[in-house]
Amino acid sequence: MKLVIAIVSNDDIKNLTTELVEKHFQFTKLATTGGFLKQGNTTLICGVEENQFDTFVEVVKDNCHRRVEIVPSSLGFSAGVVSPVEVNVGGAIMFVIKAEDCIRV
Ligand code: 2BA
């Protein structure tokens, strides 16, 4: 089994979680905040069987899309001049960890 920690844009989370439930994946959903933009995003903790992992990644790819957002540069850089900069947002970041077991009691 793999443990996937997926950080997902809030713009994509509804469609993604709907399809994950339809495909019988299980996950825990956490409200989180990006360190750079300081905007809300969502983190999913998902235990995924090895033989379902490729399908899981495909579902994430199908539902999460990167896009460009204009943000004031003072969000990420030293205060002072505030000029808009382009930042890639959206899509998903997945950390994949090998899980030894999933024990239900
Ligand atoms: P944020 O930290 O709010 O970052 C949002 C987007 O801003 C990033 O998109 C990236 O395109 C840009 N960005 C982040 N740090 C930057 C910097 N120092 N300079 C310029 N641009 C920067 P993503 O890379 O797709 O990340 C989306 C969200 O995923 C992040 O939100 C953060 O919550 C999480 N994340 C990304 N990489 C991570 C990592 N290595 N560890 C933990 N969380 C991560």
Side-chain angles (χ1 to χ4, degrees):
M1 174 176 261
K2 294 189 193 299
L3 177 66
V4 182
I5 300 170
I7 303 167
V8 181
S9 165
N10 283 348
D11 293 337
D12 296 322
I13 197 66
K14 191 158 181 275
N15 289 344
L16 173 60
T17 53
T18 299
E19 190 170 347
L20 287 174
V21 170
E22 278 172 6
K23 295 223 157 66
H24 305 289
F25 287 106
Q26 294 194 354
F27 55 86
T28 295
K29 192 175 154 204
L30 306 173
T32 47
T33 305
F36 182 66
L37 292 181
K38 300 178 176 57
Q39 290 179 357
N41 53 27
T42 301
T43 299
L44 300 180
I45 301 173
C46 323
V48 182
E49 297 294 347
E50 297 286 344
N51 63 359
Q52 287 295 306
F53 180 70
D54 290 346
T55 305
F56 180 89
V57 173
E58 282 308 308
V59 172
V60 175
K61 279 185 185 168
D62 287 347
N63 287 282
C64 300
H65 307 286
R66 289 186 79 73
R67 50 197 156 257
V68 174
E69 195 166 287
I70 310 292
V71 299
S73 63
S74 62
L75 274 176
F77 306 102
S78 55
V81 181
V82 179
S83 55
V85 290
E86 287 188 354
V87 175
N88 283 311
V89 296
I93 308 279
M94 285 183 274
F95 297 93
V96 182
I97 302 162
K98 193 172 168 61
E100 279 194 11
D101 219 337
C102 170
I103 301 169
R104 286 190 173 82
V105 294

